[in-house]
Amino acid sequence: MDKQHVVTLSDEHKMPLVGFGTYKITDQETMDQAIGTAYNTGYRLFDTAQFYNNEQVLGMALQHNGINREQVFITDKVAEPNQGYELTRSSVDFSLQQLNTDYIDLLLIHWPVNTLFFDTWRAFEDLKQAGKVRSIGVSNYNRAQLELLKTQAHEMPVVNQIENHPYLSQAPLVEFDHTEEIATQAWSPLGRGVVLSNPMLQTIANHHQRSVAQIILRWHIQRGIAVIPKSATASRIQENYQIFDFELSTDEMDMIDLLNKNQRTGNDPEMVYELGKQY
Ligand SMILES: NC(=O)c1ccc[n+]([C@@H]2O[C@H](COP(=O)([O-])OP(=O)(O)OC[C@H]3O[C@@H](n4cnc5c(N)ncnc54)[C@H](OP(=O)(O)O)[C@@H]3O)[C@@H](O)[C@H]2O)c1
């Protein structure tokens, strides 16, 4: 693993700063090509979820590309219908089979839901104790939910994976994660494409002779946020990793910060928490 571009989590495990998102890649050929390109480019983190229906396809793609399990960091997420103590444990056993591995590097609760809130986390702590999972974390948790979890957790999540891009920068939550030693990882770091046409970002991109996607990803990592951009396009997969050889100025960082308008591209976590499912 490239030692320069990793985050040391509060449990001492190391996580690549830039990972590869796999949501919506479900056919084997596309996954094989995407994973091959990503690995050759330098990506070592691959992000999947029970909900994506592609764990098996990802596991096969690693094999098809001759990639050793120890060379990569796999993130997986437990889906809402699999929450609860017993179901979490049995669903993770199934995920391990699907991925064809005996451990997951980072397991996340995909969305907080108000029922079985503590039972699911207890299963996570036990899965870690059992060695089936190296690090445990959450996704889409807000400050109140992290504080609630803290009232009963024996150990706290080391990662909070949240929607994050220039139109939804979530500065207070990122700051809270930081004070709690929880690494923030951005999902939809490019806002699923929505942010790419912003004229001000285009001006900054022209100045650096970079693409808008590279400017956004660089903004994330200069804020101390890990990213998992997804692309099924070889040139974009490569482009999204070429962000370590230039720097944004403080003024440019401030200008991008000002683009925030609390605009989500995905579900609102507070609604999922109440409903108990994605909508
Ligand atoms: N924890 C959660 O609840 C959660 C929720 C959503 C996503 N995620 C994870 O986060 C990952 C990333 O999020 P995402 O897939 O929603 O959105 P994203 O990475 O922000 O954007 C992906 C979209 O942008 C396009 N794209 C990628 N790189 C580009 C570039 N350099 N130039 C122009 N367009 C580019 C892709 O197109 P092509 O593929 O056609 O190139 C795709 O349509 C997911 O794959 C998944 O692993 C987690």
PDB file of all heavy atoms in Angstrom, residues 21-23 47 52 77 110-111 139-140 161 187-193 196 213 228-233 236 239-240, ligand 1:
ATOM      1  N   GLY A  21     -15.182   3.606  -5.509  1.00  0.00           N
ATOM      2  CA  GLY A  21     -16.584   3.279  -5.227  1.00  0.00           C
ATOM      3  C   GLY A  21     -17.126   2.343  -6.295  1.00  0.00           C
ATOM      4  O   GLY A  21     -16.810   2.494  -7.474  1.00  0.00           O
ATOM      5  N   THR A  22     -17.939   1.375  -5.886  1.00  0.00           N
ATOM      6  CA  THR A  22     -18.431   0.385  -6.867  1.00  0.00           C
ATOM      7  C   THR A  22     -19.949   0.387  -7.023  1.00  0.00           C
ATOM      8  O   THR A  22     -20.488  -0.494  -7.685  1.00  0.00           O
ATOM      9  CB  THR A  22     -17.987  -1.046  -6.483  1.00  0.00           C
ATOM     10  OG1 THR A  22     -18.670  -1.409  -5.274  1.00  0.00           O
ATOM     11  CG2 THR A  22     -16.494  -1.166  -6.326  1.00  0.00           C
ATOM     12  N   TYR A  23     -20.622   1.365  -6.421  1.00  0.00           N
ATOM     13  CA  TYR A  23     -22.094   1.378  -6.504  1.00  0.00           C
ATOM     14  C   TYR A  23     -22.530   1.423  -7.968  1.00  0.00           C
ATOM     15  O   TYR A  23     -22.018   2.226  -8.743  1.00  0.00           O
ATOM     16  CB  TYR A  23     -22.638   2.588  -5.740  1.00  0.00           C
ATOM     17  CG  TYR A  23     -24.147   2.682  -5.672  1.00  0.00           C
ATOM     18  CD1 TYR A  23     -24.930   1.553  -5.511  1.00  0.00           C
ATOM     19  CD2 TYR A  23     -24.776   3.921  -5.729  1.00  0.00           C
ATOM     20  CE1 TYR A  23     -26.312   1.654  -5.434  1.00  0.00           C
ATOM     21  CE2 TYR A  23     -26.160   4.026  -5.648  1.00  0.00           C
ATOM     22  CZ  TYR A  23     -26.917   2.883  -5.509  1.00  0.00           C
ATOM     23  OH  TYR A  23     -28.292   2.990  -5.420  1.00  0.00           O
ATOM     24  N   ASP A  47     -14.794  -0.128  -2.301  1.00  0.00           N
ATOM     25  CA  ASP A  47     -15.948   0.095  -1.429  1.00  0.00           C
ATOM     26  C   ASP A  47     -17.184  -0.599  -1.997  1.00  0.00           C
ATOM     27  O   ASP A  47     -17.636  -0.288  -3.095  1.00  0.00           O
ATOM     28  CB  ASP A  47     -16.209   1.615  -1.350  1.00  0.00           C
ATOM     29  CG  ASP A  47     -17.382   1.966  -0.467  1.00  0.00           C
ATOM     30  OD1 ASP A  47     -18.542   1.968  -0.959  1.00  0.00           O
ATOM     31  OD2 ASP A  47     -17.164   2.218   0.727  1.00  0.00           O
ATOM     32  N   TYR A  52     -25.521  -3.185  -2.607  1.00  0.00           N
ATOM     33  CA  TYR A  52     -25.128  -2.965  -4.016  1.00  0.00           C
ATOM     34  C   TYR A  52     -25.263  -4.223  -4.866  1.00  0.00           C
ATOM     35  O   TYR A  52     -25.165  -4.150  -6.086  1.00  0.00           O
ATOM     36  CB  TYR A  52     -23.674  -2.468  -4.132  1.00  0.00           C
ATOM     37  CG  TYR A  52     -23.356  -1.177  -3.428  1.00  0.00           C
ATOM     38  CD1 TYR A  52     -22.038  -0.772  -3.255  1.00  0.00           C
ATOM     39  CD2 TYR A  52     -24.366  -0.359  -2.929  1.00  0.00           C
ATOM     40  CE1 TYR A  52     -21.734   0.409  -2.595  1.00  0.00           C
ATOM     41  CE2 TYR A  52     -24.061   0.816  -2.256  1.00  0.00           C
ATOM     42  CZ  TYR A  52     -22.740   1.200  -2.088  1.00  0.00           C
ATOM     43  OH  TYR A  52     -22.432   2.347  -1.435  1.00  0.00           O
ATOM     44  N   LYS A  77     -20.655  -2.886   3.831  1.00  0.00           N
ATOM     45  CA  LYS A  77     -21.647  -2.224   4.692  1.00  0.00           C
ATOM     46  C   LYS A  77     -22.842  -3.136   4.912  1.00  0.00           C
ATOM     47  O   LYS A  77     -23.305  -3.798   3.970  1.00  0.00           O
ATOM     48  CB  LYS A  77     -22.156  -0.927   4.036  1.00  0.00           C
ATOM     49  CG  LYS A  77     -21.052  -0.058   3.468  1.00  0.00           C
ATOM     50  CD  LYS A  77     -21.552   1.262   2.912  1.00  0.00           C
ATOM     51  CE  LYS A  77     -20.491   1.899   2.044  1.00  0.00           C
ATOM     52  NZ  LYS A  77     -20.418   1.354   0.670  1.00  0.00           N
ATOM     53  N   HIS A 110     -24.592   0.754   7.232  1.00  0.00           N
ATOM     54  CA  HIS A 110     -24.831   1.575   6.031  1.00  0.00           C
ATOM     55  C   HIS A 110     -25.643   2.844   6.352  1.00  0.00           C
ATOM     56  O   HIS A 110     -25.304   3.930   5.886  1.00  0.00           O
ATOM     57  CB  HIS A 110     -25.537   0.718   4.975  1.00  0.00           C
ATOM     58  CG  HIS A 110     -25.331   1.191   3.574  1.00  0.00           C
ATOM     59  ND1 HIS A 110     -25.331   0.348   2.501  1.00  0.00           N
ATOM     60  CD2 HIS A 110     -25.119   2.426   3.062  1.00  0.00           C
ATOM     61  CE1 HIS A 110     -25.125   1.048   1.380  1.00  0.00           C
ATOM     62  NE2 HIS A 110     -24.996   2.316   1.710  1.00  0.00           N
ATOM     63  N   TRP A 111     -26.715   2.680   7.108  1.00  0.00           N
ATOM     64  CA  TRP A 111     -27.535   3.835   7.519  1.00  0.00           C
ATOM     65  C   TRP A 111     -27.967   3.614   8.960  1.00  0.00           C
ATOM     66  O   TRP A 111     -28.288   2.478   9.333  1.00  0.00           O
ATOM     67  CB  TRP A 111     -28.805   3.937   6.648  1.00  0.00           C
ATOM     68  CG  TRP A 111     -28.531   4.303   5.228  1.00  0.00           C
ATOM     69  CD1 TRP A 111     -28.229   3.445   4.210  1.00  0.00           C
ATOM     70  CD2 TRP A 111     -28.534   5.615   4.642  1.00  0.00           C
ATOM     71  NE1 TRP A 111     -28.040   4.142   3.040  1.00  0.00           N
ATOM     72  CE2 TRP A 111     -28.228   5.473   3.277  1.00  0.00           C
ATOM     73  CE3 TRP A 111     -28.770   6.902   5.152  1.00  0.00           C
ATOM     74  CZ2 TRP A 111     -28.143   6.571   2.400  1.00  0.00           C
ATOM     75  CZ3 TRP A 111     -28.692   7.989   4.279  1.00  0.00           C
ATOM     76  CH2 TRP A 111     -28.384   7.817   2.928  1.00  0.00           C
ATOM     77  N   SER A 139     -21.906   4.791   8.688  1.00  0.00           N
ATOM     78  CA  SER A 139     -22.117   5.632   7.511  1.00  0.00           C
ATOM     79  C   SER A 139     -23.410   6.402   7.719  1.00  0.00           C
ATOM     80  O   SER A 139     -24.380   5.852   8.268  1.00  0.00           O
ATOM     81  CB  SER A 139     -22.201   4.744   6.265  1.00  0.00           C
ATOM     82  OG  SER A 139     -22.411   5.520   5.118  1.00  0.00           O
ATOM     83  N   ASN A 140     -23.404   7.645   7.291  1.00  0.00           N
ATOM     84  CA  ASN A 140     -24.603   8.485   7.348  1.00  0.00           C
ATOM     85  C   ASN A 140     -25.059   8.794   8.775  1.00  0.00           C
ATOM     86  O   ASN A 140     -26.249   9.016   9.006  1.00  0.00           O
ATOM     87  CB  ASN A 140     -25.744   7.817   6.555  1.00  0.00           C
ATOM     88  CG  ASN A 140     -25.382   7.648   5.095  1.00  0.00           C
ATOM     89  OD1 ASN A 140     -25.024   8.601   4.425  1.00  0.00           O
ATOM     90  ND2 ASN A 140     -25.434   6.416   4.597  1.00  0.00           N
ATOM     91  N   GLN A 161     -18.692   7.438   7.077  1.00  0.00           N
ATOM     92  CA  GLN A 161     -18.760   7.681   5.629  1.00  0.00           C
ATOM     93  C   GLN A 161     -20.052   8.448   5.347  1.00  0.00           C
ATOM     94  O   GLN A 161     -21.141   7.930   5.593  1.00  0.00           O
ATOM     95  CB  GLN A 161     -18.734   6.349   4.869  1.00  0.00           C
ATOM     96  CG  GLN A 161     -18.670   6.540   3.364  1.00  0.00           C
ATOM     97  CD  GLN A 161     -18.769   5.238   2.573  1.00  0.00           C
ATOM     98  OE1 GLN A 161     -19.799   4.961   1.954  1.00  0.00           O
ATOM     99  NE2 GLN A 161     -17.722   4.439   2.591  1.00  0.00           N
ATOM    100  N   TRP A 187     -18.751   9.979   0.573  1.00  0.00           N
ATOM    101  CA  TRP A 187     -19.395   9.251  -0.534  1.00  0.00           C
ATOM    102  C   TRP A 187     -20.026  10.270  -1.479  1.00  0.00           C
ATOM    103  O   TRP A 187     -20.287  11.399  -1.085  1.00  0.00           O
ATOM    104  CB  TRP A 187     -20.366   8.184  -0.078  1.00  0.00           C
ATOM    105  CG  TRP A 187     -21.646   8.486   0.663  1.00  0.00           C
ATOM    106  CD1 TRP A 187     -21.847   8.329   2.011  1.00  0.00           C
ATOM    107  CD2 TRP A 187     -22.915   8.909   0.123  1.00  0.00           C
ATOM    108  NE1 TRP A 187     -23.147   8.643   2.344  1.00  0.00           N
ATOM    109  CE2 TRP A 187     -23.837   8.999   1.193  1.00  0.00           C
ATOM    110  CE3 TRP A 187     -23.364   9.210  -1.151  1.00  0.00           C
ATOM    111  CZ2 TRP A 187     -25.165   9.389   1.037  1.00  0.00           C
ATOM    112  CZ3 TRP A 187     -24.697   9.598  -1.319  1.00  0.00           C
ATOM    113  CH2 TRP A 187     -25.580   9.690  -0.238  1.00  0.00           C
ATOM    114  N   SER A 188     -20.204   9.872  -2.735  1.00  0.00           N
ATOM    115  CA  SER A 188     -20.551  10.824  -3.803  1.00  0.00           C
ATOM    116  C   SER A 188     -19.651  12.050  -3.702  1.00  0.00           C
ATOM    117  O   SER A 188     -20.144  13.189  -3.651  1.00  0.00           O
ATOM    118  CB  SER A 188     -22.022  11.237  -3.755  1.00  0.00           C
ATOM    119  OG  SER A 188     -22.853  10.149  -4.068  1.00  0.00           O
ATOM    120  N   PRO A 189     -18.332  11.838  -3.678  1.00  0.00           N
ATOM    121  CA  PRO A 189     -17.428  12.990  -3.511  1.00  0.00           C
ATOM    122  C   PRO A 189     -17.541  13.981  -4.667  1.00  0.00           C
ATOM    123  O   PRO A 189     -17.187  15.143  -4.515  1.00  0.00           O
ATOM    124  CB  PRO A 189     -16.041  12.344  -3.478  1.00  0.00           C
ATOM    125  CG  PRO A 189     -16.193  11.041  -4.189  1.00  0.00           C
ATOM    126  CD  PRO A 189     -17.589  10.579  -3.854  1.00  0.00           C
ATOM    127  N   LEU A 190     -18.053  13.513  -5.825  1.00  0.00           N
ATOM    128  CA  LEU A 190     -18.237  14.410  -6.979  1.00  0.00           C
ATOM    129  C   LEU A 190     -19.699  14.840  -7.090  1.00  0.00           C
ATOM    130  O   LEU A 190     -20.130  15.365  -8.114  1.00  0.00           O
ATOM    131  CB  LEU A 190     -17.805  13.698  -8.268  1.00  0.00           C
ATOM    132  CG  LEU A 190     -16.360  13.184  -8.272  1.00  0.00           C
ATOM    133  CD1 LEU A 190     -16.091  12.321  -9.490  1.00  0.00           C
ATOM    134  CD2 LEU A 190     -15.377  14.345  -8.208  1.00  0.00           C
ATOM    135  N   GLY A 191     -20.469  14.567  -6.034  1.00  0.00           N
ATOM    136  CA  GLY A 191     -21.894  14.915  -6.079  1.00  0.00           C
ATOM    137  C   GLY A 191     -22.613  14.202  -7.215  1.00  0.00           C
ATOM    138  O   GLY A 191     -23.538  14.744  -7.801  1.00  0.00           O
ATOM    139  N   ARG A 192     -22.161  12.972  -7.526  1.00  0.00           N
ATOM    140  CA  ARG A 192     -22.736  12.171  -8.620  1.00  0.00           C
ATOM    141  C   ARG A 192     -22.784  12.963  -9.933  1.00  0.00           C
ATOM    142  O   ARG A 192     -23.705  12.853 -10.715  1.00  0.00           O
ATOM    143  CB  ARG A 192     -24.143  11.676  -8.275  1.00  0.00           C
ATOM    144  CG  ARG A 192     -24.109  10.657  -7.185  1.00  0.00           C
ATOM    145  CD  ARG A 192     -25.438   9.980  -6.926  1.00  0.00           C
ATOM    146  NE  ARG A 192     -25.252   8.925  -5.957  1.00  0.00           N
ATOM    147  CZ  ARG A 192     -26.171   8.541  -5.091  1.00  0.00           C
ATOM    148  NH1 ARG A 192     -27.358   9.084  -5.078  1.00  0.00           N
ATOM    149  NH2 ARG A 192     -25.908   7.570  -4.245  1.00  0.00           N
ATOM    150  N   GLY A 193     -21.793  13.829 -10.102  1.00  0.00           N
ATOM    151  CA  GLY A 193     -21.702  14.569 -11.358  1.00  0.00           C
ATOM    152  C   GLY A 193     -22.353  15.951 -11.316  1.00  0.00           C
ATOM    153  O   GLY A 193     -22.025  16.817 -12.120  1.00  0.00           O
ATOM    154  N   LEU A 196     -20.056  19.052 -11.172  1.00  0.00           N
ATOM    155  CA  LEU A 196     -18.979  19.167 -12.169  1.00  0.00           C
ATOM    156  C   LEU A 196     -19.144  20.337 -13.136  1.00  0.00           C
ATOM    157  O   LEU A 196     -18.178  20.785 -13.733  1.00  0.00           O
ATOM    158  CB  LEU A 196     -18.848  17.853 -12.962  1.00  0.00           C
ATOM    159  CG  LEU A 196     -18.385  16.640 -12.142  1.00  0.00           C
ATOM    160  CD1 LEU A 196     -18.424  15.374 -12.980  1.00  0.00           C
ATOM    161  CD2 LEU A 196     -16.994  16.873 -11.578  1.00  0.00           C
ATOM    162  N   ALA A 213     -13.247  17.503 -11.684  1.00  0.00           N
ATOM    163  CA  ALA A 213     -13.280  16.361 -10.751  1.00  0.00           C
ATOM    164  C   ALA A 213     -12.000  16.341  -9.898  1.00  0.00           C
ATOM    165  O   ALA A 213     -12.060  16.126  -8.681  1.00  0.00           O
ATOM    166  CB  ALA A 213     -13.424  15.053 -11.541  1.00  0.00           C
ATOM    167  N   ILE A 228     -14.048   8.263  -2.086  1.00  0.00           N
ATOM    168  CA  ILE A 228     -14.238   7.005  -2.826  1.00  0.00           C
ATOM    169  C   ILE A 228     -15.001   7.282  -4.127  1.00  0.00           C
ATOM    170  O   ILE A 228     -16.122   6.799  -4.313  1.00  0.00           O
ATOM    171  CB  ILE A 228     -14.972   5.946  -1.965  1.00  0.00           C
ATOM    172  CG1 ILE A 228     -16.186   6.563  -1.227  1.00  0.00           C
ATOM    173  CG2 ILE A 228     -14.033   5.285  -0.974  1.00  0.00           C
ATOM    174  CD1 ILE A 228     -17.116   5.502  -0.618  1.00  0.00           C
ATOM    175  N   PRO A 229     -14.390   8.056  -5.042  1.00  0.00           N
ATOM    176  CA  PRO A 229     -15.093   8.323  -6.302  1.00  0.00           C
ATOM    177  C   PRO A 229     -15.357   7.036  -7.065  1.00  0.00           C
ATOM    178  O   PRO A 229     -14.555   6.105  -7.014  1.00  0.00           O
ATOM    179  CB  PRO A 229     -14.112   9.216  -7.076  1.00  0.00           C
ATOM    180  CG  PRO A 229     -12.765   8.879  -6.510  1.00  0.00           C
ATOM    181  CD  PRO A 229     -13.009   8.566  -5.060  1.00  0.00           C
ATOM    182  N   LYS A 230     -16.486   7.030  -7.776  1.00  0.00           N
ATOM    183  CA  LYS A 230     -16.823   5.868  -8.624  1.00  0.00           C
ATOM    184  C   LYS A 230     -16.762   6.296 -10.089  1.00  0.00           C
ATOM    185  O   LYS A 230     -17.232   7.376 -10.460  1.00  0.00           O
ATOM    186  CB  LYS A 230     -18.233   5.379  -8.294  1.00  0.00           C
ATOM    187  CG  LYS A 230     -18.770   4.295  -9.242  1.00  0.00           C
ATOM    188  CD  LYS A 230     -19.638   4.857 -10.355  1.00  0.00           C
ATOM    189  CE  LYS A 230     -19.991   3.836 -11.415  1.00  0.00           C
ATOM    190  NZ  LYS A 230     -20.715   4.419 -12.559  1.00  0.00           N
ATOM    191  N   SER A 231     -16.196   5.452 -10.925  1.00  0.00           N
ATOM    192  CA  SER A 231     -16.334   5.627 -12.370  1.00  0.00           C
ATOM    193  C   SER A 231     -16.174   4.278 -13.035  1.00  0.00           C
ATOM    194  O   SER A 231     -15.387   3.445 -12.585  1.00  0.00           O
ATOM    195  CB  SER A 231     -15.294   6.606 -12.915  1.00  0.00           C
ATOM    196  OG  SER A 231     -15.428   6.663 -14.320  1.00  0.00           O
ATOM    197  N   ALA A 232     -16.937   4.099 -14.094  1.00  0.00           N
ATOM    198  CA  ALA A 232     -16.773   2.879 -14.895  1.00  0.00           C
ATOM    199  C   ALA A 232     -15.975   3.207 -16.159  1.00  0.00           C
ATOM    200  O   ALA A 232     -15.861   2.389 -17.058  1.00  0.00           O
ATOM    201  CB  ALA A 232     -18.143   2.305 -15.239  1.00  0.00           C
ATOM    202  N   THR A 233     -15.414   4.424 -16.223  1.00  0.00           N
ATOM    203  CA  THR A 233     -14.694   4.890 -17.414  1.00  0.00           C
ATOM    204  C   THR A 233     -13.194   4.922 -17.112  1.00  0.00           C
ATOM    205  O   THR A 233     -12.769   5.634 -16.189  1.00  0.00           O
ATOM    206  CB  THR A 233     -15.166   6.320 -17.782  1.00  0.00           C
ATOM    207  OG1 THR A 233     -16.587   6.350 -17.741  1.00  0.00           O
ATOM    208  CG2 THR A 233     -14.656   6.760 -19.133  1.00  0.00           C
ATOM    209  N   ARG A 236     -11.392   8.256 -16.577  1.00  0.00           N
ATOM    210  CA  ARG A 236     -11.817   8.978 -15.359  1.00  0.00           C
ATOM    211  C   ARG A 236     -11.273   8.306 -14.099  1.00  0.00           C
ATOM    212  O   ARG A 236     -10.937   8.976 -13.126  1.00  0.00           O
ATOM    213  CB  ARG A 236     -13.341   9.027 -15.304  1.00  0.00           C
ATOM    214  CG  ARG A 236     -13.953   9.930 -16.350  1.00  0.00           C
ATOM    215  CD  ARG A 236     -15.446   9.763 -16.326  1.00  0.00           C
ATOM    216  NE  ARG A 236     -16.129  10.719 -17.173  1.00  0.00           N
ATOM    217  CZ  ARG A 236     -17.435  10.683 -17.391  1.00  0.00           C
ATOM    218  NH1 ARG A 236     -18.183   9.755 -16.824  1.00  0.00           N
ATOM    219  NH2 ARG A 236     -17.999  11.581 -18.170  1.00  0.00           N
ATOM    220  N   GLU A 239      -7.816   9.592 -13.933  1.00  0.00           N
ATOM    221  CA  GLU A 239      -7.834  11.028 -13.622  1.00  0.00           C
ATOM    222  C   GLU A 239      -8.140  11.269 -12.132  1.00  0.00           C
ATOM    223  O   GLU A 239      -7.500  12.096 -11.484  1.00  0.00           O
ATOM    224  CB  GLU A 239      -8.926  11.646 -14.511  1.00  0.00           C
ATOM    225  CG  GLU A 239      -9.221  13.087 -14.314  1.00  0.00           C
ATOM    226  CD  GLU A 239     -10.449  13.479 -15.174  1.00  0.00           C
ATOM    227  OE1 GLU A 239     -10.578  13.023 -16.335  1.00  0.00           O
ATOM    228  OE2 GLU A 239     -11.277  14.239 -14.660  1.00  0.00           O
ATOM    229  N   ASN A 240      -9.087  10.512 -11.586  1.00  0.00           N
ATOM    230  CA  ASN A 240      -9.516  10.734 -10.206  1.00  0.00           C
ATOM    231  C   ASN A 240      -8.446  10.370  -9.177  1.00  0.00           C
ATOM    232  O   ASN A 240      -8.567  10.713  -8.005  1.00  0.00           O
ATOM    233  CB  ASN A 240     -10.802   9.944  -9.914  1.00  0.00           C
ATOM    234  CG  ASN A 240     -11.992  10.467 -10.697  1.00  0.00           C
ATOM    235  OD1 ASN A 240     -11.947  11.561 -11.245  1.00  0.00           O
ATOM    236  ND2 ASN A 240     -13.064   9.677 -10.760  1.00  0.00           N
TER     237      ASN A 240
HETATM  238  N1  LIG B   1     -22.541   5.018   2.345  1.00  0.00           N
HETATM  239  C1  LIG B   1     -23.499   5.360   1.504  1.00  0.00           C
HETATM  240  O1  LIG B   1     -24.665   5.523   1.891  1.00  0.00           O
HETATM  241  C2  LIG B   1     -23.161   5.575   0.058  1.00  0.00           C
HETATM  242  C3  LIG B   1     -24.116   6.154  -0.783  1.00  0.00           C
HETATM  243  C4  LIG B   1     -23.771   6.350  -2.120  1.00  0.00           C
HETATM  244  C5  LIG B   1     -22.526   5.983  -2.581  1.00  0.00           C
HETATM  245  N2  LIG B   1     -21.618   5.382  -1.740  1.00  0.00           N
HETATM  246  C6  LIG B   1     -20.279   4.954  -2.224  1.00  0.00           C
HETATM  247  O2  LIG B   1     -19.608   6.092  -2.740  1.00  0.00           O
HETATM  248  C7  LIG B   1     -19.177   5.835  -4.065  1.00  0.00           C
HETATM  249  C8  LIG B   1     -19.113   7.106  -4.879  1.00  0.00           C
HETATM  250  O3  LIG B   1     -20.364   7.762  -4.907  1.00  0.00           O
HETATM  251  P1  LIG B   1     -21.291   7.831  -6.208  1.00  0.00           P
HETATM  252  O4  LIG B   1     -20.998   6.705  -7.086  1.00  0.00           O
HETATM  253  O5  LIG B   1     -22.685   7.985  -5.722  1.00  0.00           O
HETATM  254  O6  LIG B   1     -20.927   9.236  -6.864  1.00  0.00           O
HETATM  255  P2  LIG B   1     -19.611  10.003  -7.382  1.00  0.00           P
HETATM  256  O7  LIG B   1     -18.390   9.184  -7.213  1.00  0.00           O
HETATM  257  O8  LIG B   1     -19.666  11.358  -6.761  1.00  0.00           O
HETATM  258  O9  LIG B   1     -19.958  10.194  -8.926  1.00  0.00           O
HETATM  259  C9  LIG B   1     -20.033   9.118  -9.801  1.00  0.00           C
HETATM  260  C10 LIG B   1     -20.524   9.672 -11.135  1.00  0.00           C
HETATM  261  O10 LIG B   1     -19.611  10.659 -11.620  1.00  0.00           O
HETATM  262  C11 LIG B   1     -19.079  10.244 -12.880  1.00  0.00           C
HETATM  263  N3  LIG B   1     -17.631  10.548 -12.853  1.00  0.00           N
HETATM  264  C12 LIG B   1     -16.685   9.950 -12.103  1.00  0.00           C
HETATM  265  N4  LIG B   1     -15.483  10.503 -12.305  1.00  0.00           N
HETATM  266  C13 LIG B   1     -15.669  11.493 -13.215  1.00  0.00           C
HETATM  267  C14 LIG B   1     -14.797  12.419 -13.847  1.00  0.00           C
HETATM  268  N5  LIG B   1     -13.487  12.438 -13.587  1.00  0.00           N
HETATM  269  N6  LIG B   1     -15.329  13.286 -14.748  1.00  0.00           N
HETATM  270  C15 LIG B   1     -16.663  13.272 -15.031  1.00  0.00           C
HETATM  271  N7  LIG B   1     -17.541  12.418 -14.451  1.00  0.00           N
HETATM  272  C16 LIG B   1     -17.047  11.537 -13.557  1.00  0.00           C
HETATM  273  C17 LIG B   1     -19.335   8.750 -13.002  1.00  0.00           C
HETATM  274  O11 LIG B   1     -19.571   8.404 -14.354  1.00  0.00           O
HETATM  275  P3  LIG B   1     -19.010   7.058 -15.082  1.00  0.00           P
HETATM  276  O12 LIG B   1     -19.082   5.918 -14.102  1.00  0.00           O
HETATM  277  O13 LIG B   1     -19.950   6.919 -16.229  1.00  0.00           O
HETATM  278  O14 LIG B   1     -17.602   7.382 -15.516  1.00  0.00           O
HETATM  279  C18 LIG B   1     -20.623   8.594 -12.186  1.00  0.00           C
HETATM  280  O15 LIG B   1     -21.758   8.926 -12.985  1.00  0.00           O
HETATM  281  C19 LIG B   1     -20.205   4.811  -4.568  1.00  0.00           C
HETATM  282  O16 LIG B   1     -19.802   4.141  -5.730  1.00  0.00           O
HETATM  283  C20 LIG B   1     -20.330   3.935  -3.357  1.00  0.00           C
HETATM  284  O17 LIG B   1     -19.243   3.030  -3.286  1.00  0.00           O
HETATM  285  C21 LIG B   1     -21.929   5.188  -0.423  1.00  0.00           C
END
